[in-house]
C-alpha cells in the first residue's frame, strides 16, 4: 500500500505532513521511501545536482518533482534534529530526577545533623550550668566532646586477628562498612560544602569537606552514565586515576560468605614536595552488595587498635592511617549510577616541618587530589564511552590518558628520588638550595624502539636537579599559567636543545648546554583536555633558528609533550602543575619520556587553628631584587583578597654520558638556580597589585618621574587633539597622576625606537587590568604582540599620520592580554607624548570601553 503525502510534505517512516501550497497529493511507495532513506544516510543535505542525479538514477522517483525531493530532505533533517533534541531532553530529565533525589537525601542528612547539633548544644549548656565554678574535675570535657569524638575516633582495642582467620577479618570489614555508611549518608562527620560546588545535571556533583574531625576528610556525591559494576572496577584501579599513587599491591584476596571479597592492600604514595617524606598505607578493602542492590567498596587501615595482620615495613615511608572510607555505588532508574565517595585519612602531619603541615591538614587539598579526581575520572570515562568527546591527532583516549599518567609519574619519581628506584644523592657544592640526584640504571630510560641512548656504551644515566621554595601571596594557578604561556621568561633554549638531543640518532650533538642560548618562540598544539578543563595535554613546538655556524645544532625545531593542570583560580585547594618532556616530532605511544616541570601547592592553614601560630614569615624568601623590606602594608594584603603561602617544587631531568657527569651536574645546578631566580621575579610581578594602597607607581630606570610623565601625557593630548584628557584638570603635584591612574579607560605608553619593537613602559590601573599584568612585568610586553593582524595593519597605515599630525583615531578592534585572553574595544586613540623640550618621548594609547570577550 502506497503512502499518501501532499506535495511539499515529508516522506519516510515518521508519518506525513500537509502542504498548503496546493491541494495536489504525491504518493510515496515503500520502495521510494527506501531509496530516499539510503541517500539520506549517505548525504543528509544533497545539492541540487545531486537531487537531479538521484531522480535520473532511480526511475521509481521519476514521478516526483525536484522541489518535492528538496522538501522531503528538509523535513527529514528536521525530524532527525527533533529526535536528537528529544533524546537529549530525556537524558537531562533523568539526570535532574536523579540529582533531585540526591539533593533530597542530602537535605534529610543535613536535617539530622542540625537536630544532633541542637541536642549536643543543649546538653553542653546543661552541663556547664550544673558544674560548680570551684570544681577542678575535667570530666565535663569528656562529656562535651563525647557526642562527636567517640563517634568519629573509636579507640576500642581489638585482639590481634589472624590473617588466616576469615571470620576475624570479616568482623573488621563489617565494622568498616557500618562506619563508612555513617559518613557517606549519615552524620558521623560534620560536612561543610566546598565553595563553588553547585549541584546540577552537568556539574561534578556535591563536594564537602570535614570540619573539626581527626585527620582530613572529603565527601562527594555525583551521577555518571556507567553501570555500578563498571564504576566499581574503575574505582578499585586506584593507580589509573590517583596521580599520587606509586604502587598498589593486593597481597591477599579472601572471599566472604555473603558474596563479597576482602583484600589486604599495601599502598605507597608519592610526597608532593622534596621537603617531606612519602606516605604508605596498610589497609583492608571490603567489597560487598547491599539489600537495595547498591555496591559498596569500603577500606580502612589495619592497626593495633583495629586488629588484623601487620603490614610490610618500608624504610623510606611514613605509615599513614586511613580511617573508614570508600565508595557507595547505587544504580539509577534508566541506567547510570549515583556515587557517594568518602576519603578520610590521617597523614601524621606532626612528622613534617611546621610550615608544611597545612599540606597534610587541608581537607580541600584531599578533596581535589583524591575525592574529586576519582569522580572526574569516572565522568571522563563515561563521556569517552558514549562518544561525547572527540579527540584530534588520531590517538585513542586511553592512549592520551596513559601519556598524561606517565608524565605525572615520571615527575613524581624525580621529585621523590626513591632509593629502590636507583637514585643516589650527589655531594653538594656547599650550597644546599639545589639537590642533585643520579640514577645510573639503564632501565630508567628504556621502553621504546625509538630510543637508542640507553644502549650506548657511554650512557651514564639520568641526572635530576630539584629544589623547593616558599612563595608569598602568589595564586598557584596564575603562576603556572604564566610559566606555561611565557616560557621564554625562564627557559634556556640551549638547555632545551641539550634535553631533546637524547632523542637523536647521535644523542650528544650538543655536548653540554650553554646558558644564555638564543631565545625561542613556542607554538602550543592541543591534544586533549578533561571534561571540566582542569587538565590539558598538549604538544609544544619550540622554534629557534640558528644565528651562527657553531649553533647549527640548535637550528631545528624541538617538541615537548606538556601536561598542565590546576589553572582555575577559583578551585579551592587545587594543586597547579606544569610538566613537560622532550619528544621526537613523530613520537609513538610508547616513546621514552623524561619529565621535568613545576608544581605549586597552596598552604592553607586549618580553619580552626589561628594562622599566626602556625606559619612562618616567608617574606625573606622573596627579597631578591626588591631592595627593601619584605613587610607589606595592610592595605596591600587586602588587594586582590589574596594573602596565602604556597610551596613550589621544581625538578629537571637530564641524560648524560658517563664522562660528562660532572659537567652536566654543574650545568643542571646552575640552570635550576637561574630558574628559581626567574620564578621569584615572575612571582613578584604577577602577585596581586601592590598599587591599591600606593597611588604613585614606581618609576623605571631611565624614565621620568611618574608625576612628570603624567603631566606630559595630559599636556600632549591637549596639544594634539584640542581636548582635555581629564574632566577636571589640575597642575597641582600628583593630582594629574591620580586622575591618570584612576581613569576608566586603559591608557598606556610604549617606547618609540628605530629598529626595535615597541615595548610598554607605563600603564594606568585600567591598562594593567586589560593587559593582565603589573608594572614590573609591563616592560616585557611588546605592542605588536597584543594587537591582532587587523590592528597591526591599521596602526601601520596610521603611523605616519601620528608622527606628522600628532595623533590618530583607530577604529574598534580586538587585541589580546598578556595571558592570551581576547579583548574588544570600541575605539582607540594614539598620540605622541612630548617632553618639556617638545621632543618625542613615547607613544600613548587609550583604549575606550574595553572588555574581555
Amino acid at each position: 500500500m502506497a503512502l499518501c503525502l501532499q506535495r511539499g510534505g515529508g516522506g519516510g517512516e515518521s508519518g506525513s505532513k500537509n502542504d498548503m501550497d496546493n491541494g495536489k497529493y504525491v504518493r510515496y511507495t515503500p520502495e521510494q521511501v527506501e531509496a530516499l532513506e539510503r541517500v539520506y544516510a549517505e548525504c543528509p543535505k544533497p545539492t541540487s545536482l545531486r537531487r537531479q542525479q538521484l531522480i535520473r538514477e532511480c526511475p521509481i522517483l521519476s514521478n516526483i518533482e525536484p522541489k518535492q525531493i528538496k522538501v522531503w530532505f528538509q523535513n527529514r533533517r528536521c525530524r532527525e534534529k527533533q529526535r536528537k533534541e528529544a533524546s537529549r531532553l530525556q537524558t537531562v530529565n533523568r539526570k535532574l530526577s536523579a540529582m533531585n533525589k540526591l539533593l533530597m537525601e542530602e537535605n534529610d542528612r543535613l536535617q539530622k545533623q542540625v537536630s544532633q547539633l541542637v541536642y549536643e548544644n543543649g546538653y553542653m549548656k546543661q552541663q556547664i550550668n550544673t558544674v560548680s565554678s570551684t570544681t577542678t574535675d575535667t570530666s565535663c570535657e569528656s562529656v562535651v566532646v563525647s557526642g562527636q569524638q567517640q563517634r568519629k575516633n573509636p579507640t576500642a582495642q581489638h585482639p590481634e586477628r589472624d590473617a588466616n582467620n576469615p571470620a576475624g577479618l570479616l568482623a573488621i570489614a563489617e565494622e568498616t562498612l557500618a562506619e563508612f555508611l555513617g559518613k557517606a549518608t549519615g552524620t558521623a562527620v560534620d560536612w561543610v560544602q566546598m565553595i563553588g560546588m553547585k549541584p546540577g545535571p552537568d556539574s561534578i556533583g556535591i563536594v564537602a569537606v570535614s570540619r573539626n574531625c581527626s585527620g582530613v576528610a572529603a565527601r562527594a556525591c555525583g551521577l555518571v552514565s556507567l553501570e555500578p559494576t563498571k564504576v566499581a572496577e574503575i574505582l578499585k584501579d586506584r593507580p589509573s586515576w590517583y596521580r599520587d599513587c606509586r604502587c598498589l599491591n593486593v597481597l591477599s584476596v579472601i572471599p566472604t560468605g555473603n558474596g563479597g571479597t576482602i583484600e589486604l592492600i599495601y599502598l605507597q604514595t608519592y610526597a608532593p614536595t622534596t621537603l617531606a617524606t612519602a606516605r604508605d598505607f596498610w589497609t583492608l578493602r571490603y567489597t560487598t552488595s547491599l539489600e537495595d542492590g547498591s555496591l559498596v567498596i569500603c577500606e580502612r587501615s589495619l592497626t593495633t587498635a583495629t586488629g588484623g595482620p601487620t603490614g610490610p615495613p618500608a624504610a623510606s615511608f611514613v605509615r599513614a592511617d586511613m580511617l573508614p572510607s570508600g565508595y557507595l555505588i547505587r544504580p539509577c532508574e534508566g541506567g547510570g549510577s549515583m556515587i557517594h565517595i568518602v576519603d578520610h585519612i590521617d597523614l601524621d602531619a606532626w612528622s613534617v616541618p611546621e610550615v608544611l603541615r597545612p599540606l597534610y591538614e587541608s581537607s580541600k587539598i584531599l578533596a581535589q587530589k583524591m575525592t574529586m579526581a576519582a569522580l572526574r575520572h569516572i565522568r571522563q570515562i563515561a563521556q569517552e564511552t558514549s562518544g561525547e568527546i572527540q579527540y584530534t591527532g588520531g590517538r585513542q583516549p586511553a592512549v592520551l590518558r596513559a601519556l598524561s599518567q606517565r608524565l605525572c609519574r615520571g615527575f613524581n619519581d624525580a621529585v621523590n628520588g626513591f632509593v629502590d628506584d636507583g637514585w643516589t644523592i650527589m655531594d653538594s657544592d656547599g650550597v644546599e638550595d639545589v639537590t642533585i640526584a643520579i640514577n645510573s640504571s639503564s632501565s630508567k630510560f628504556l621502553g621504546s624502539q625509538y630510543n637508542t641512548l640507553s644502549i650506548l656504551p657511554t650512557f651514564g644515566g639520568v641526572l635530576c636537579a630539584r629544589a623547593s621554595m616558599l612563595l608569598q601571596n602568589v595564586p598557584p594557578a596564575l603562576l603556572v599559567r604564566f610559566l606555561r604561556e611565557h616560557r621564554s621568561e625562564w627557559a634556556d633554549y640551549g638547555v632545551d636543545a641539550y634535553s631533546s638531543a637524547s632523542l637523536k640518532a647521535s644523542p650528544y650533538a650538543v655536548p653540554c648546554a650553554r646558558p644564555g642560548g638564543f631565545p625561542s618562540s613556542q607554538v602550543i598544539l592541543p591534544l586533549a583536555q578533561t571534561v571540566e578543563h582542569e587538565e590539558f595535554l598538549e604538544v609544544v613546538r619550540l622554534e629557534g633558528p640558528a644565528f651562527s655556524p657553531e649553533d647549527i645544532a640548535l637550528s631545528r625545531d624541538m617538541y615537548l609533550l606538556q601536561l598542565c593542570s590546576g589553572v582555575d583560580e577559583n578551585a579551592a585547594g587545587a594543586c597547579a602543575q606544569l610538566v613537560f618532556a622532550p619528544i621526537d616530532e613523530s613520537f609513538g605511544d610508547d616513546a621514552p619520556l623524561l619529565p621535568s616541570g613545576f608544581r605549586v601547592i597552596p598552604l592553607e592553614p586549618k580553619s580552626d587553628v589561628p594562622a599566626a601560630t602556625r606559619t612562618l614569615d616567608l617574606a625573606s624568601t622573596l627579597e631578591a631584587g626588591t631592595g627593601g623590606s619584605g613587610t607589606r602594608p595592610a592595605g596591600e594584603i587586602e588587594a586582590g583578597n589574596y594573602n596565602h603561602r604556597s610551596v613550589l617544587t621544581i625538578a629537571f631531568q637530564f641524560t648524560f654520558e658517563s664522562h660528562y657527569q660532572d659537567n652536566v651536574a654543574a650545568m643542571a645546578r646552575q640552570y635550576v638556580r637561574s630558574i628559581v631566580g626567574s620564578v621569584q621575579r615572575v612571582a613578584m610581578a604577577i602577585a596581586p597589585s601592590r598599587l591599591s594602597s600606593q597611588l604613585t607607581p614606581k618609576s623605571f630606570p631611565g624614565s621620568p618621574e611618574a608625576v612628570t610623565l603624567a603631566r606630559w601625557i595630559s599636556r600632549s593630548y591637549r596639544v594634539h587633539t584640542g581636548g582635555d584628557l581629564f574632566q577636571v584638570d589640575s597642575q597641582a603635584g600628583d593630582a594629574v597622576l591620580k586622575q591618570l591612574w584612576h581613569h576608566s579607560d586603559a591608557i598606556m605608553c610604549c617606547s618609540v625606537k628605530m629598529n626595535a619593537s615597541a615595548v610598554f613602559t607605563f600603564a594606568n590601573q585600567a591598562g594593567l587590568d586589560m593587559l593582565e599584568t603589573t608594572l614590573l612585568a609591563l616592560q616585557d610586553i611588546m605592542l605588536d604582540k597584543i594587537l591582532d593582524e587587523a590592528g597591526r595593519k591599521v596602526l601601520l597605515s596610521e603611523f605616519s599620520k601620528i608622527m606628522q599630525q600628532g595623533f590618530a583615531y583607530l577604529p574598534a578592534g580586538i587585541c589580546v592580554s598578556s595571558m592570551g585572553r581576547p579583548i574588544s574595544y570600541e575605539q582607540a586613540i594614539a598620540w605622541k607624548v612630548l617632553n618639556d623640550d617638545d621632543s618625542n618621548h613615547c607613544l600613548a594609547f587609550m583604549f575606550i570601553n574595553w572588555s574581555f570577550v
Side-chain angles (χ1 to χ4, degrees):
M1 180 178 179
L3 299 175
C4 179
L5 300 178
Q6 287 185 334
R7 179 179 300 275
E13 301 169 356
S14 302
S16 63
K17 296 181 181 179
N18 294 328
D19 181 17
M20 304 306 294
D21 293 342
N22 54 55
K24 187 176 181 180
Y25 287 90
V26 174
R27 294 180 179 272
Y28 285 88
T29 66
E31 292 78 10
Q32 290 174 330
V33 172
E34 183 181 353
L36 291 171
E37 289 287 351
R38 282 198 305 269
V39 176
Y40 180 84
E42 299 175 358
C43 180
K45 193 174 182 179
T47 62
S48 176
L49 293 176
R50 181 70 181 91
R51 293 194 299 269
Q52 294 176 7
Q53 180 184 3
L54 173 62
I55 296 176
R56 289 194 302 269
E57 293 177 351
C58 298
I60 59 175
L61 300 177
S62 59
N63 63 328
I64 304 176
E65 297 179 2
K67 179 181 178 182
Q68 179 63 33
I69 298 290
K70 177 180 179 181
V71 173
W72 187 93
F73 276 98
Q74 289 175 344
N75 292 339
R76 182 67 175 82
R77 291 194 300 271
C78 182
R79 288 196 301 276
E80 182 73 18
K81 184 177 180 181
Q82 289 174 344
R83 277 197 292 268
K84 291 181 179 179
E85 181 65 13
S87 176
R88 187 188 69 83
L89 291 175
Q90 289 175 358
T91 302
V92 172
N93 184 61
R94 285 196 299 269
K95 288 183 178 180
L96 289 173
S97 298
M99 183 61 71
N100 181 61
K101 180 180 178 181
L102 184 63
L103 290 173
M104 291 175 64
E105 293 176 354
E106 182 71 5
N107 185 56
D108 291 341
R109 190 193 65 80
L110 290 174
Q111 288 180 351
K112 293 178 183 177
Q113 184 174 346
V114 169
S115 299
Q116 179 148 358
L117 290 174
V118 170
Y119 170 78
E120 291 179 355
N121 186 48
Y123 189 79
M124 291 169 62
K125 287 182 178 179
Q126 181 182 359
Q127 293 298 317
I128 292 174
N129 292 332
T130 57
V131 173
S132 171
S133 60
T134 59
T135 183
T136 59
D137 182 17
T138 59
S139 60
C140 62
E141 181 180 351
S142 62
V143 172
V144 168
V145 300
S146 64
Q148 290 189 11
Q149 190 69 18
Q150 291 182 4
R151 183 176 69 249
K152 298 172 188 175
N153 305 308
T155 58
Q157 296 291 320
H158 300 279
E160 181 90 5
R161 289 161 177 167
D162 189 357
N164 298 321
N165 184 353
L169 292 178
L170 181 59
I172 300 177
E174 292 294 343
E175 293 169 4
T176 304
L177 173 62
E179 293 188 43
F180 159 68
L181 291 177
K183 298 174 183 179
T185 61
T187 59
V189 171
D190 185 7
W191 298 113
V192 179
Q193 185 170 335
M194 285 184 65
I195 298 175
M197 296 290 119
K198 298 180 179 179
D202 297 320
S203 72
I204 190 173
I206 303 172
V207 182
V209 294
S210 62
R211 180 176 59 185
N212 299 332
C213 77
S214 62
V216 290
R219 173 180 175 268
C221 312
L223 305 171
V224 292
S225 57
L226 293 176
E227 296 305 312
T229 53
K230 180 62 176 177
V231 173
E233 177 187 342
I234 295 172
L235 289 173
K236 293 180 75 170
D237 185 17
R238 186 172 281 154
S240 68
W241 55 265
Y242 183 35
R243 294 290 173 79
D244 284 352
C245 179
R246 186 190 184 213
C247 68
L248 186 151
N249 298 323
V250 180
L251 302 185
S252 180
V253 180
I254 305 170
T256 61
N258 57 6
T261 58
I262 293 176
E263 299 164 290
L264 300 181
I265 294 175
Y266 177 62
L267 171 69
Q268 290 182 348
T269 63
Y270 291 105
T273 174
T274 62
L275 304 176
T277 306
R279 265 54 180 166
D280 65 349
F281 297 85
W282 170 240
T283 65
L284 176 148
R285 185 167 69 185
Y286 181 36
T287 305
T288 187
S289 299
L290 301 182
E291 293 181 356
D292 62 357
S294 300
L295 276 176
V296 177
I297 306 168
C298 55
E299 190 172 2
R300 81 177 306 161
S301 288
L302 294 177
T303 64
T304 55
T306 62
T310 304
S316 302
F317 294 84
V318 171
R319 183 63 49 88
D321 187 16
M322 180 182 294
L323 288 79
S325 307
Y327 318 103
L328 171 62
I329 310 165
R330 303 157 63 184
C332 293
E333 296 180 5
S337 303
M338 184 183 303
I339 311 172
H340 295 255
I341 302 176
V342 173
D343 291 306
H344 191 178
I345 57 179
D346 186 344
L347 294 170
D348 191 14
W350 292 100
S351 65
V352 300
E354 181 183 0
V355 73
L356 292 180
R357 285 177 196 164
L359 288 182
Y360 296 84
E361 296 177 336
S362 172
S363 293
K364 293 178 182 178
I365 292 180
L366 175 70
Q368 291 283 354
K369 298 180 70 174
M370 185 178 291
T371 314
M372 294 171 64
L375 200 52
R376 283 175 174 144
H377 182 73
I378 297 172
R379 294 187 68 215
Q380 184 80 20
I381 298 293
Q383 295 201 11
E384 291 173 0
T385 304
S386 63
E388 297 179 43
I389 301 178
Q390 301 294 328
Y391 288 98
T392 59
R395 297 180 190 268
Q396 294 297 319
V399 172
L400 296 172
R401 285 199 309 273
L403 290 172
S404 300
Q405 183 75 8
R406 289 176 56 199
L407 282 173
C408 282
R409 185 176 183 84
F411 184 69
N412 277 325
D413 283 335
V415 169
N416 285 260
F418 291 112
V419 175
D420 57 358
D421 280 342
W423 290 100
T424 57
I425 303 297
M426 286 186 64
D427 293 334
S428 69
D429 60 352
V431 183
E432 301 294 338
D433 56 339
V434 178
T435 301
I436 301 294
I438 297 291
N439 193 328
S440 300
S441 172
S442 60
S443 62
K444 174 65 181 171
F445 208 56
L446 284 174
S448 173
Q449 65 272 26
Y450 301 106
N451 175 49
T452 58
L453 171 63
S454 57
I455 62 176
L456 293 177
T458 57
F459 175 73
V462 174
L463 180 146
C464 177
R466 54 181 186 251
S468 291
M469 58 186 292
L470 298 167
L471 301 176
Q472 177 88 15
N473 292 333
V474 180
L478 186 60
L479 175 59
V480 167
R481 200 160 71 234
F482 188 95
L483 294 174
R484 170 181 174 264
E485 298 174 358
H486 301 273
R487 184 180 179 86
S488 60
E489 293 292 329
W490 56 268
D492 188 285
Y493 183 78
V495 177
D496 287 335
Y498 175 80
S499 298
S500 67
S502 62
L503 302 173
K504 299 180 182 179
S506 177
Y508 296 99
V510 185
C512 193
R514 297 190 303 277
F518 295 113
S520 63
S521 60
Q522 67 173 3
V523 178
I524 297 178
L525 310 171
L527 274 183
Q529 61 186 7
T530 50
V531 175
E532 299 183 357
H533 301 175
E534 78 280 354
E535 179 179 280
F536 35 91
L537 183 68
E538 54 202 10
V539 171
V540 180
R541 186 174 76 236
L542 301 178
E543 302 171 334
F547 293 93
S548 59
E550 59 269 18
D551 292 305
I552 198 66
L554 306 181
S555 62
R556 67 191 295 268
D557 289 347
M558 295 174 294
Y559 296 86
L560 302 174
L561 183 65
Q562 182 166 275
L563 183 71
C564 185
S565 59
V567 292
D568 181 6
E569 296 180 49
N570 298 318
C575 162
Q577 185 170 273
L578 182 69
V579 179
F580 44 86
I583 55 173
D584 192 75
E585 183 176 359
S586 56
F587 74 102
D589 298 342
D590 60 346
L593 298 178
L594 202 60
S596 304
F598 308 87
R599 174 183 293 152
V600 193
I601 310 176
L603 292 171
E604 297 182 357
K606 241 186 174 181
S607 58
D608 56 340
V609 179
T613 64
R614 301 184 38 77
T615 54
L616 303 178
D617 182 9
L618 308 181
S620 59
T621 63
L622 298 177
E623 286 302 309
T626 61
S629 172
T631 305
R632 297 180 61 174
E636 289 182 17
I637 296 177
E638 298 175 0
N641 195 27
Y642 197 91
N643 184 30
H644 295 291
R645 296 172 172 86
S646 56
V647 57
L648 167 66
T649 298
I650 305 172
F652 277 77
Q653 297 190 83
F654 307 93
T655 57
F656 63 91
E657 288 183 285
S658 54
H659 54 283
Y660 278 128
Q661 174 176 318
D662 293 339
N663 291 341
V664 175
M667 176 273 295
R669 184 178 281 111
Q670 177 187 354
Y671 185 48
V672 170
R673 283 173 179 163
S674 70
I675 290 176
V676 168
S678 299
V679 170
Q680 285 180 330
R681 290 192 298 271
V682 168
M684 288 187 292
I686 66 176
S689 178
R690 304 185 180 193
L691 297 172
S692 58
S693 61
Q694 300 175 358
L695 293 176
T696 305
K698 297 177 182 179
S699 60
F700 294 104
S703 67
E705 293 295 330
V707 174
T708 303
L709 177 61
R711 181 169 54 83
W712 289 352
I713 294 173
S714 175
R715 181 174 63 86
S716 300
Y717 183 87
R718 185 189 308 110
V719 169
H720 296 312
T721 67
D724 289 324
L725 186 60
F726 311 122
Q727 294 180 355
V728 179
D729 195 10
S730 173
Q731 300 296 325
D734 61 353
V736 176
L737 175 60
K738 291 181 179 179
Q739 292 182 72
L740 174 65
W741 183 252
H742 294 292
H743 200 283
S744 58
D745 294 322
I747 301 175
M748 51 197 75
C749 300
C750 66
S751 61
V752 182
K753 297 180 180 179
M754 298 300 295
N755 301 324
S757 298
V759 298
F760 289 105
T761 57
F762 172 82
N764 66 351
Q765 183 64 69
L768 296 178
D769 294 341
M770 178 179 131
L771 295 178
E772 293 188 289
T773 187
T774 65
L775 282 176
L776 290 174
L778 186 65
Q779 290 183 314
D780 296 329
I781 303 175
M782 291 184 290
L783 175 63
D784 59 345
K785 295 298 183 182
I786 73 161
L787 298 175
D788 62 359
E789 185 176 357
R792 288 192 291 269
K793 289 182 179 178
V794 170
L795 180 61
L796 186 62
S797 63
E798 297 288 335
F799 187 76
S800 59
K801 179 180 178 181
I802 296 172
M803 300 308 294
Q804 294 175 7
Q805 183 176 307
F807 77 102
Y809 292 99
L810 308 179
I814 299 289
C815 60
V816 294
S817 72
S818 63
M819 307 306 288
R821 287 212 286 172
I823 304 164
S824 66
Y825 55 90
E826 293 183 3
Q827 189 184 46
I829 305 175
W831 71 95
K832 290 192 301 182
V833 176
L834 307 177
N835 59 19
D836 291 331
D837 297 329
D838 288 336
S839 300
N840 295 335
H841 176 71
C842 64
L843 203 60
F845 291 87
M846 181 165 64
F847 294 89
I848 301 173
N849 292 336
W850 64 271
S851 62
F852 290 107
V853 178

